[in-house]
Amino acid sequence: MSGISRATQGWMLLTQVAIMVPLMDQASHWTLAIVSLCLLWRLGIFFARWASPPRWLLNLLGIGTAAALFSQLSGNGTMATLINLLLLGYSLKSIETKSGKDLMVVLLTGYFLIGLHLIDRFGAIMSVQLILMVALNSACMLSNYRSQETKHTFILSLKLIVASLPLAIALFVLIPRLPPMWQIQTSTLARTGLSDSMALGDIAQLTRSDELVMRASFTDDPPPAEQLYWRALILDSYDGRRWSASANVATEPAEHYQPMAPFLDYSLQVEANNQTWLATLRGSRSDSSRLRPQAAQQLHWQVPLISRTKIDLQQGHYPAAMSLSLEAEQQNLLLPAHGNPLARQWAQQLREQYPQPQQRMAAIMSHFRQNPFRYTLSPPPLGGEQIDGFLFNTKAGFCGHYASTMVFVARAAGVPARIVTGYQGGERGLNNEFVSVYQYNAHAWVEYWLPLQGWQRIDPTAAVAPERVEQGAEATLSQQPEFSQQSGLFTWRNSRAIWHLRGVLEQLDYQWSRHVIGFDHKRQISFWQEWLGGFQWWKLAVLLGFILLLVGISQSGLLSRTKPTPTPIRLYNKAQQRLSRWGIQRLDNEAPLAHLERVQQHSQALYDAYLPFCRLFIEVQYQATPTPAKIKRLRGRFQFFIRQTNQAKRRGPVAVKPVTAHE
């Protein structure tokens, strides 16, 4: 027999679902099966269908738990294993919970699991979700110690959270931030996104995701979309099927010279992706110690990004490199020894026809522009000779097809060239305050080398679908079925209200990231300096003590002017207001039973309606702690009294004898 009440069991079941469901994307199949079985068993216990599981079943589940954890150890990362361990322990402990001590273990584990939601998701909506989880977990704890109605238990839980908010905000704003002392491996937390290698159709797959990549805000108005090329990866090696970064790119020394004016200051709020690369505008730099400069004007994080992070950047103009090293030139001219003979032959013709590299690149762009090439998410199969198949046969592809083909032909024509992958454009916020970049803004373009001018950007997609560059992926691809069918939000675009709501939520999320997530150590120091004259420990102690004093006074009730009227008294007063219509409300100092007798003397019909409520009120009023069940019954009898008096009023005047209280 369970030692915890049925109400507490209901709260525990609801809390478990609310906490564990958002973490299911981190659970293995074994974990998912065991957690589901435990929830079903807990549901059976709640409805009194099943008893607590027998010992042999618990032992069997324990063996399954060990197997599930063992399967996690093979390369899924420490964090994934930790999450699965807590989910399994949380579930198993819940089905054998019989006492308040067991329940406390489940509740404390639940609080820890709630904290795990913050590892890579700390947006405004997630914060509301976390508060609800904490409220449910706290309501479960309160229900074990207080006999209250469900609604009142949850309200009390919310009140406790609200009372703790001032102290939580004070701790967040005032307590000095410490740098991370350790980091857990989080390989399984990687999201979808760009890869360090690319085949012709890979970018097209990314465009079917509306997952947010980052938001960019500028000190001035955002540049037009055709200038927003967010460079992430440089791919300069081709094996005939895929492009990847060569060792020459990885070992090439970073450029240390300073950019020149004019400068463009901007900030990025980057979502967690468990990668080290950062998509930035070309020529960007940052003073943050979290970034390290890389070759080809790239910036990388010092460690993989595992949480949403804000970073300030400055874009300038770098002086063009005058020459290309021999190794870099050879690498960016390198092609497989065999394959795609038609493309090589055409490239040789371009080389003979156009002596200048810039002319050859312009000829390739003209070829794309003047022939019936199509921009599509569903290109036909290309066969073994991919470049030849695309260039001379199908003529249908996505940005990866055009960039790959252009670099191949350029190299075959003697022009050093490489592929750049990243994102292009983005959606502007409601107030034009920021630009949101999604996975469907993923893009690939080309950089080629010109002597004395350095690397030049050229986008072959602009020759085929200029609206993709000028208006963005959404405007260009929204008419393609593959795009709208797999991108959930795009199916809502027909609803202006829902699309506007999405914009409002984005604005809210942006402000949250700016003021909460962006409140880093630097801004905290500025806050202390501006408002408190600099950080000192005694100031911190005084402020925290003052806030604790205010919270204590507020919760003690010293500042409250009136206490809430108990439910029985409130219902009794309403009943007297109803009886006052017939002039037989309770008089001052009149006992309830005496008043009841007077009601009977006035009208038998009113007495019959009023009697059940009045008797139960007397019983409840003189009990030390009325149970929620009796309060509920009192409400029911009050409603009965109201309905009876309403019916009596509709039937006609109630016969009332003029009797005084002392009659």
Side-chain angles (χ1 to χ4, degrees):
M1 183 67 70
S2 173
I4 59 177
S5 67
R6 192 166 185 270
T8 302
Q9 292 183 40
W11 279 115
M12 184 170 63
L13 188 60
L14 182 62
T15 304
Q16 284 189 291
V17 173
I19 291 177
M20 291 196 292
V21 167
L23 291 172
M24 284 298 105
D25 58 340
Q26 307 294 332
S28 67
H29 297 301
W30 280 85
T31 303
L32 191 60
I34 295 174
V35 167
S36 301
L37 177 62
C38 291
L39 285 176
L40 285 175
W41 201 285
R42 192 70 247 176
L43 189 65
I45 295 175
F46 176 71
F47 285 109
R49 300 289 185 183
W50 298 332
S52 297
R55 180 58 57 185
W56 66 266
L57 179 58
L58 289 175
N59 292 336
L60 186 63
L61 290 174
I63 295 173
T65 299
L69 293 176
F70 182 77
S71 66
Q72 286 288 318
L73 295 177
S74 56
N76 287 327
T78 307
M79 181 54 71
T81 305
L82 174 63
I83 292 175
N84 279 267
L85 172 65
L86 287 173
L87 287 174
L88 290 167
Y90 186 55
S91 303
L92 290 174
K93 188 62 183 175
S94 69
I95 61 173
E96 66 168 10
T97 297
K98 297 179 181 178
S99 64
K101 186 182 297 184
D102 295 334
L103 178 67
M104 190 55 65
V105 174
V106 174
L107 295 175
L108 292 178
T109 308
Y111 283 121
F112 199 84
L113 277 170
I114 293 172
L116 290 181
H117 290 78
L118 293 173
I119 289 178
D120 63 337
R121 294 169 289 192
F122 190 34
I125 296 178
M126 174 53 69
S127 301
V128 175
Q129 189 176 342
L130 289 178
I131 289 176
L132 288 177
M133 291 181 194
V134 173
L136 287 173
N137 211 38
S138 302
C140 183
M141 181 171 57
L142 291 172
S143 69
N144 193 46
Y145 298 103
R146 299 172 66 97
S147 298
Q148 284 185 311
E149 291 186 35
T150 302
K151 181 178 71 176
H152 293 163
T153 301
F154 189 67
I155 291 175
L156 178 58
S157 176
L158 289 176
K159 286 181 177 178
L160 291 176
I161 293 175
V162 171
S164 66
L165 282 180
L167 183 59
I169 294 173
L171 293 174
F172 176 79
V173 174
L174 300 176
I175 295 294
R177 309 289 173 83
L178 297 176
M181 292 177 284
W182 53 280
Q183 184 170 348
I184 294 179
Q185 180 190 353
T186 57
S187 60
T188 58
L189 295 180
R191 305 281 186 82
T192 59
L194 294 174
S195 171
D196 55 2
S197 65
M198 185 198 78
L200 267 64
D202 285 356
I203 299 292
Q205 297 300 321
L206 278 181
T207 59
R208 301 177 185 184
S209 168
D210 57 6
E211 184 181 351
L212 180 66
V213 177
M214 60 184 185
R215 290 196 174 95
S217 57
F218 299 83
T219 52
D220 299 320
D221 291 337
E226 57 267 26
Q227 296 182 15
L228 295 177
Y229 280 84
W230 307 99
R231 300 166 82 248
L233 296 164
I234 305 293
L235 309 180
D236 62 346
S237 178
Y238 183 54
D239 62 0
R241 308 294 298 180
R242 301 188 68 85
W243 292 90
S244 59
S246 70
N248 289 337
V249 169
T251 58
E252 188 176 339
E255 297 159 283
H256 295 293
Y257 43 81
Q258 295 295 316
M260 301 182 297
F263 297 108
L264 175 66
D265 294 321
Y266 67 102
S267 299
L268 294 180
Q269 294 174 2
V270 190
E271 298 295 306
N273 58 13
N274 205 29
Q275 303 288 347
T276 56
W277 52 260
L278 173 65
T280 62
L281 299 175
R282 185 179 178 185
S284 295
R285 60 180 296 275
S286 174
D287 296 330
S288 173
S289 59
R290 302 186 62 182
L291 292 175
R292 66 176 189 272
Q294 295 289 296
Q297 299 180 20
Q298 299 178 89
L299 291 173
H300 282 193
W301 300 103
Q302 296 283 1
V303 294
L305 192 65
I306 60 172
S307 61
R308 180 185 288 187
T309 301
K310 178 179 178 293
I311 195 78
D312 295 324
L313 296 148
Q314 185 182 60
Q315 185 202 28
H317 291 269
Y318 281 83
M322 294 295 105
S323 61
L324 192 64
S325 67
L326 180 60
E327 294 79 7
E329 182 178 7
Q330 291 176 344
Q331 179 62 48
N332 288 283
L333 287 172
L334 188 63
L335 288 174
H338 305 286
N340 301 296
L342 298 178
R344 294 174 191 266
Q345 183 180 357
W346 181 51
Q348 187 60 34
Q349 294 173 2
L350 293 176
R351 188 168 191 169
E352 295 171 357
Q353 186 177 357
Y354 301 104
Q356 299 299 324
Q358 200 163 6
Q359 294 174 325
R360 296 171 211 163
M361 301 302 288
I364 300 173
M365 290 289 282
S366 298
H367 182 80
F368 286 141
R369 192 177 295 113
Q370 295 171 1
N371 287 278
F373 283 90
R374 289 190 297 119
Y375 186 67
T376 175
L377 279 171
S378 301
L382 295 175
E385 306 291 347
Q386 293 187 336
I387 303 298
D388 281 359
F390 169 71
L391 193 55
F392 301 105
N393 186 17
T394 64
K395 293 183 173 63
F398 204 61
C399 59
H401 294 72
Y402 293 96
S404 297
T405 301
M406 188 170 203
V407 172
F408 186 94
V409 175
R411 290 186 175 189
V415 181
R418 62 193 184 187
I419 287 179
V420 182
T421 60
Y423 301 89
Q424 195 277 320
E427 289 187 30
R428 294 172 184 254
L430 291 180
N431 301 325
N432 206 26
E433 193 174 355
F434 58 88
V435 175
S436 299
V437 180
Y438 297 91
Q439 291 293 355
Y440 58 73
N441 293 116
H443 195 50
W445 60 95
V446 176
E447 288 183 353
Y448 67 100
W449 176 265
L450 284 182
L452 304 181
Q453 297 184 42
W455 289 102
Q456 305 293 310
R457 184 184 69 213
I458 187 168
D459 189 352
T461 302
V464 181
E467 66 276 8
R468 164 63 183 87
V469 176
E470 297 168 358
Q471 302 175 26
E474 178 203 354
T476 308
L477 302 172
S478 57
Q479 301 304 319
Q480 297 198 21
E482 299 85 358
F483 191 63
S484 57
Q485 287 173 2
Q486 299 193 31
S487 299
L489 287 177
F490 292 103
T491 59
W492 301 352
R493 283 193 63 81
N494 293 333
S495 172
R496 182 182 293 272
I498 293 180
W499 195 252
H500 181 75
L501 176 62
R502 186 197 183 197
V504 172
L505 292 177
E506 286 181 347
Q507 183 74 20
L508 175 64
D509 192 57
Y510 169 75
Q511 296 297 343
W512 173 271
S513 299
R514 180 181 176 187
H515 296 294
V516 179
I517 298 179
F519 192 77
D520 52 13
H521 177 71
K522 183 178 178 181
R523 291 185 61 184
Q524 189 181 40
I525 295 298
S526 300
F527 173 83
W528 270 98
Q529 191 64 40
E530 182 177 355
W531 291 94
L532 302 168
F535 175 79
Q536 288 179 309
W537 285 106
W538 70 267
K539 293 180 181 178
L540 177 62
V542 169
L543 283 171
L544 292 180
F546 180 69
I547 292 170
L548 285 173
L549 180 63
L550 288 181
V551 172
I553 292 175
S554 172
Q555 294 303 306
S556 66
L558 294 176
L559 300 179
S560 60
R561 296 178 179 177
T562 58
K563 292 183 178 180
T565 305
T567 300
I569 297 296
R570 183 167 50 83
L571 295 176
Y572 189 76
N573 291 337
K574 287 184 177 179
Q576 299 310 311
Q577 291 176 3
R578 178 57 61 100
L579 290 172
S580 67
R581 296 180 180 180
W582 294 278
I584 50 176
Q585 71 273 18
R586 176 173 169 267
L587 302 177
D588 293 340
N589 301 322
E590 186 178 20
L593 281 177
H595 174 241
L596 181 64
E597 292 176 0
R598 192 159 57 87
V599 172
Q600 186 179 22
Q601 292 171 6
H602 280 68
S603 168
Q604 186 63 37
L606 290 176
Y607 172 78
D608 293 340
Y610 182 61
L611 177 64
F613 169 75
C614 186
R615 281 183 173 173
L616 185 57
F617 166 75
I618 294 172
E619 180 182 345
V620 169
Q621 182 62 19
Y622 292 102
Q623 282 187 342
T625 54
T627 63
K630 285 195 174 181
I631 295 295
K632 186 176 181 180
R633 286 174 54 200
L634 186 67
R635 281 200 177 91
R637 293 189 180 186
F638 173 76
Q639 294 298 331
F640 172 79
F641 168 66
I642 295 298
R643 286 195 300 271
Q644 292 296 313
T645 53
N646 287 338
Q647 292 174 5
K649 187 176 180 182
R650 285 194 293 270
R651 285 194 297 267
V654 176
V656 177
K657 293 185 293 185
V659 184
T660 64
H662 306 289
E663 188 176 353

